[in-house]
Amino acid sequence: MYSSSLAQAPTLREPLHAPVAHLVRGGVTEGVHHGSVVVLGTDGEVAFQLGDIEVAFYPRSALKPVQAVAMVRAGLPLDGELLSLAAASHSGEERHLAGARRILDEAGLTEDDLRNVPDMPFGRPVRDTWIRDGRGPSRLAQNCSGKHAAMLYTCKLNGWPLDGYLDPGHPLQQAIAEIVEDLTGQRIAHTTVDGCGAPLFSVSLHGLARAAARITTAVPGTPESRVADAMREHPEMASGVGRDVAELMRAVPGLLAKDGFEGVEVAALPDGRAIAVKISDGADRARVPVAAAALARAGVDPALLTAFAGESLFGGGEPVGSVRPARALDPVSARV
């Protein structure tokens, strides 16, 4: 299904994105979101593409399932909701904070050992309550705290230094980079720093979709399968109540999905069908319907995706239009 050899790193250049979504108000196209989309079939081949799927880009948090696989391969013993949290961009709900504390407790560590950037909770309702209660930014509330707690636990288990665990040259980050290349099937094009402070690896949209497909098609009991099972069984632990990516996993049986900042989403089914989306301007209002349209293009029943078809545009308090996927993304009748 997939080659065991690594392809060269994707090219670093300006992406050649295409129109992927339109804002249609009163029958007139008011705006256009550009981006790129890839759909993989069950054979791992590209079944559909739009825009620029081979240029180097940053997957942002959509790469977290891959990072979690790398940590499990390195001995991280988590499963279930705590493993889902290790791959999370969580909303900062109390269960997320409690879960991160549990991971740290198992490692014999505390919040003071975290080196992610202190922040308010990501989920708007949670953040609003947090602010009303007079609470300030914290490392535990920051949406990547589960991943960072798991990183520290992995270091502790392997005898790796806790100091500098976010340095690209640290053994942990070297191990993660190796698995990023393994699962994407290509060399990393560039490394920089993500918002939370962890290394951020640049691959291609095609490579990101390939990694998700490899995770969902892995043999039961493998690190890949354990991560996929944890996220699918505990989708709100990997995101939060009411988050679109959690609701999408609830709506589509067997689907693994992960979003990332700047308009990124990846999703894959157990049979290897996978999609990946990048919205050029980072707009979630385009990411959600474009990802749903890509899944329909991959053969997912459109009836399961109606809640993700695109938000309405209002005029005078009444709906007068919507955000619609580009016509090129209209689903085809045949499964890929």
Side-chain angles (χ1 to χ4, degrees):
M1 184 174 178
Y2 296 103
S3 171
S4 59
S5 60
L6 291 178
Q8 291 299 309
T11 305
L12 292 166
R13 57 169 172 77
E14 183 175 346
L16 302 173
H17 291 307
V20 294
H22 298 88
L23 283 66
V24 180
R25 180 184 294 271
V28 174
T29 299
E30 184 176 33
V32 179
H33 290 284
H34 289 71
S36 295
V37 179
V38 61
V39 176
L40 303 184
T42 56
D43 59 359
E45 297 298 317
V46 174
F48 173 82
Q49 61 181 304
L50 183 62
D52 197 345
I53 69 169
E54 302 295 355
V55 68
F57 91 119
Y58 293 125
R60 302 300 299 269
S61 289
L63 200 62
K64 283 179 178 175
V66 178
Q67 293 171 307
V69 168
M71 289 188 277
V72 175
R73 287 196 189 183
L76 184 69
L78 302 178
D79 280 298
E81 62 178 11
L82 293 186
L83 182 53
S84 184
L85 183 63
S89 301
H90 65 70
S91 291
E93 299 162 20
E94 183 50 45
R95 62 174 158 183
H96 298 134
L97 276 61
R101 291 191 194 99
R102 285 170 57 194
I103 296 173
L104 290 169
D105 286 346
E106 289 191 24
L109 302 170
T110 70
E111 183 179 352
D112 292 338
D113 293 297
L114 295 171
R115 289 296 175 265
N116 56 318
V117 177
D119 201 357
M120 300 289 196
F122 177 69
R124 181 173 295 178
V126 184
R127 182 172 64 247
D128 290 347
T129 300
W130 189 278
I131 293 171
R132 282 196 301 269
D133 292 344
R135 304 171 75 177
S138 91
R139 296 188 193 276
L140 208 61
Q142 196 268 339
N143 77 90
C144 301
S145 65
K147 178 182 78 173
H148 281 255
M151 285 181 169
L152 285 168
Y153 194 4
T154 305
C155 289
K156 193 75 176 291
L157 290 167
N158 285 276
W160 296 332
L162 301 183
D163 290 339
Y165 77 92
L166 298 180
D167 190 306
H170 189 280
L172 169 70
Q173 302 303 337
Q174 291 291 300
I176 291 174
E178 180 181 344
I179 303 309
V180 169
E181 292 189 333
D182 178 30
L183 293 180
T184 63
Q186 61 188 178
R187 300 291 182 188
I188 292 168
H190 186 67
T191 302
T192 187
V193 183
D194 209 342
C196 66
L200 177 60
F201 305 111
S202 179
V203 293
S204 71
L205 198 66
H206 185 183
L208 179 63
R210 186 162 46 224
R214 288 180 170 177
I215 290 172
T216 58
T217 58
V219 175
T222 60
E224 291 89 337
S225 177
R226 285 170 56 190
V227 170
D229 288 345
M231 293 180 69
R232 288 183 295 213
E233 291 169 11
H234 305 276
E236 285 82 12
M237 205 66 174
S239 52
V241 172
R243 293 271 294 278
D244 61 85
V245 71
E247 294 184 348
L248 185 62
M249 283 194 277
R250 294 286 186 196
V252 181
L255 185 72
L256 174 69
K258 184 68 185 76
D259 55 349
F261 282 153
E262 298 303 325
V264 182
E265 184 153 340
V266 65
L269 290 153
D271 62 7
R273 286 175 289 157
I275 66 102
V277 169
K278 164 65 181 174
I279 306 300
S280 179
D281 62 4
D284 280 344
R285 69 177 180 181
R287 172 185 59 81
V288 176
V290 169
L295 285 168
R297 187 91 194 200
V300 173
D301 183 354
L304 301 175
L305 303 167
T306 54
F308 312 95
E311 66 182 60
S312 296
L313 303 178
F314 289 87
E318 298 295 329
V320 294
S322 63
V323 181
R324 303 177 186 174
R327 188 166 299 173
L329 280 160
D330 285 349
V332 292
S333 58
R335 292 171 66 89
V336 295

